[in-house]
Amino acid sequence: MAKHHRKRQLEELSHFLRSRRMRLNPADVGLNTSGRRRTPGLRREEVAVLAGVGTSWYTWLEQGRDINVSESVLGAISGALRLNPAEEIYLHRLAGLRTPDVDQRADSGPDDPERLAEIVNHWFPNPALVRDRCWNILAANSAVPEFLGFPGPGGNILVEFFTDESCRRRYVQAEALARSTVARFRADVADCFGRPEVERIVDELNERSPQFARLWSSHEVLEPMKSRAKEIVHGEVGTLGFDVHEWELAADHEIQLVLHMPTAQDTREKLDAFFAAAGPEAEDPDRPGEDGDEDGQLSSEKAIAAA
């Protein structure tokens, strides 16, 4: 399994380097050329010169050969290819290296599974969930399926968004959201290529969603954002606006807490009114009851701990 994992990482490294080389023109990096080129992008030898490495060595790296690399050399290649900070971090993770940026970017939020389940449950009526790096949902309150269109624990955010039209229609600027979602997912799994769960999700989505396949083949990378805005259109209450806040809650980036905070009082009032009109049966089933029954909460905790 470790051998397969390494092979998949090297394959992705090869595709990523080539895609970034092909998006640059010689003029972009200050090179003078004469005559027309049959193919766009920089040549491998040009990247090697700009990075100060041997052409053969860079060719082997781009071919996905399992060779030794150092942080300093990857830094030089990142500069030659004009990688942005997110792409540079991604390159290091594909190569099996960590950079100071990676080590420092994790938020210092809570990491106790019991506390996470409690936060998700008590964030109701605002949507809140916990997911793993494959974007499988480990815990969620009942506002998540109602307003975000995602199932509860056991569902996958990516699969639902890209294969369920009724889910995708909820999101304003769905195309831009799709693009950023795939780019952030790629960053999340940078050091997980070859894992059966990652392979299964990517293969399924490539087969079922032409949109995902197109975006995945672009090799675009975005690092997780601490917060971002999201607008949702619900069939009964209309447009809702949220600020989405995310925290990576483990050193290995395996678990992430995602909280949706209303951007305006209007959204909060709509949420309150909707669940009040729906009656007691619409209340979050994961909330502990007055008699101290915490079965719903414990099931969320078990899902988180199993990750």
Side-chain angles (χ1 to χ4, degrees), residues 195-241:
R195 280 193 187 183
E197 180 67 1
V198 175
E199 299 294 293
R200 182 190 68 77
I201 291 171
V202 172
D203 288 347
E204 178 181 354
L205 287 171
N206 273 325
E207 181 178 345
R208 297 180 61 187
S209 171
Q211 182 186 33
F212 177 89
R214 172 175 55 81
L215 293 169
W216 184 253
S217 66
S218 73
H219 296 272
E220 186 175 1
V221 180
L222 285 176
E223 279 301 289
M225 295 172 281
K226 290 293 191 288
S227 64
R228 65 184 187 279
K230 177 187 292 183
E231 277 192 307
I232 296 168
V233 178
H234 186 271
E236 295 185 39
V237 303
T239 301
L240 303 170

Side-chain angles (χ1 to χ4, degrees), residues 4-305:
H4 175 67
H5 169 73
R6 181 59 175 163
K7 179 182 177 182
R8 284 291 293 114
Q9 277 193 291
L10 291 173
E11 288 174 352
E12 175 60 23
L13 176 65
S14 175
H15 291 308
F16 179 69
L17 286 175
R18 186 177 186 279
S19 70
R20 291 305 170 262
R21 174 170 62 83
M22 299 302 290
R23 74 178 179 180
L24 293 173
N25 294 314
D28 296 332
V29 295
L31 294 178
N32 293 321
T33 60
S34 59
R36 296 184 60 184
R37 296 191 173 201
R38 289 180 295 177
T39 57
L42 296 178
R43 294 169 177 158
R44 286 173 175 168
E45 57 266 28
E46 291 170 338
V47 176
V49 169
L50 291 168
V53 299
T55 299
S56 295
W57 186 91
Y58 177 77
T59 299
W60 294 338
L61 181 68
E62 191 178 298
Q63 288 175 341
R65 298 194 189 187
D66 197 358
I67 58 178
N68 293 325
V69 296
S70 66
E71 290 185 11
S72 61
V73 170
L74 285 188
I77 292 172
S78 297
L81 293 174
R82 302 298 193 262
L83 301 186
N84 62 40
E87 292 169 333
E88 184 173 3
I89 290 172
Y90 184 65
L91 177 61
H92 277 71
R93 293 177 68 183
L94 286 176
L97 301 175
R98 294 296 179 96
T99 69
D101 288 333
V102 172
D103 296 332
Q104 295 171 8
R105 70 193 175 103
D107 208 277
S108 57
D111 58 5
D112 176 28
E114 294 185 8
R115 183 59 177 162
L116 289 178
E118 182 180 348
I119 291 172
V120 167
N121 295 333
H122 288 283
W123 196 249
F124 181 85
N126 302 320
L129 61 90
V130 176
R131 67 168 177 82
D132 63 18
R133 75 160 76 195
C134 291
W135 295 42
N136 295 311
I137 298 175
L138 306 179
N141 62 27
S142 60
V144 169
E146 180 63 51
F147 291 102
L148 304 188
F150 302 132
N156 182 275
I157 295 171
L158 285 165
V159 172
E160 201 71 21
F161 182 83
F162 283 100
T163 63
D164 186 341
E165 182 62 28
S166 65
C167 172
R168 192 163 55 256
R169 280 200 306 265
R170 298 169 183 252
Y171 293 89
V172 179
Q173 298 181 332
E175 177 64 30
L177 180 60
R179 178 180 175 183
S180 65
T181 295
V182 173
R184 289 188 296 116
F185 174 70
R186 184 181 290 278
D188 277 356
V189 299
D191 49 4
C192 296
F193 286 102
R195 280 193 187 183
E197 180 67 1
V198 175
E199 299 294 293
R200 182 190 68 77
I201 291 171
V202 172
D203 288 347
E204 178 181 354
L205 287 171
N206 273 325
E207 181 178 345
R208 297 180 61 187
S209 171
Q211 182 186 33
F212 177 89
R214 172 175 55 81
L215 293 169
W216 184 253
S217 66
S218 73
H219 296 272
E220 186 175 1
V221 180
L222 285 176
E223 279 301 289
M225 295 172 281
K226 290 293 191 288
S227 64
R228 65 184 187 279
K230 177 187 292 183
E231 277 192 307
I232 296 168
V233 178
H234 186 271
E236 295 185 39
V237 303
T239 301
L240 303 170
F242 295 101
D243 283 328
V244 185
H245 299 270
E246 301 183 350
W247 288 269
E248 289 181 339
L249 299 168
D252 55 6
H253 316 295
E254 290 289 346
I255 299 176
Q256 190 165 76
L257 173 67
V258 184
L259 302 177
H260 290 67
M261 180 177 295
T263 55
Q265 183 64 24
D266 176 66
T267 290
R268 180 55 190 259
E269 291 173 353
K270 288 179 179 179
L271 292 171
D272 288 339
F274 174 83
F275 285 110
E281 65 275 9
E283 293 182 1
D284 190 350
D286 286 339
R287 277 182 180 271
E290 292 182 0
D291 60 355
D293 180 5
E294 299 184 349
D295 288 345
Q297 180 174 332
L298 288 174
S299 65
S300 294
E301 293 166 6
K302 290 178 181 178
I304 296 169

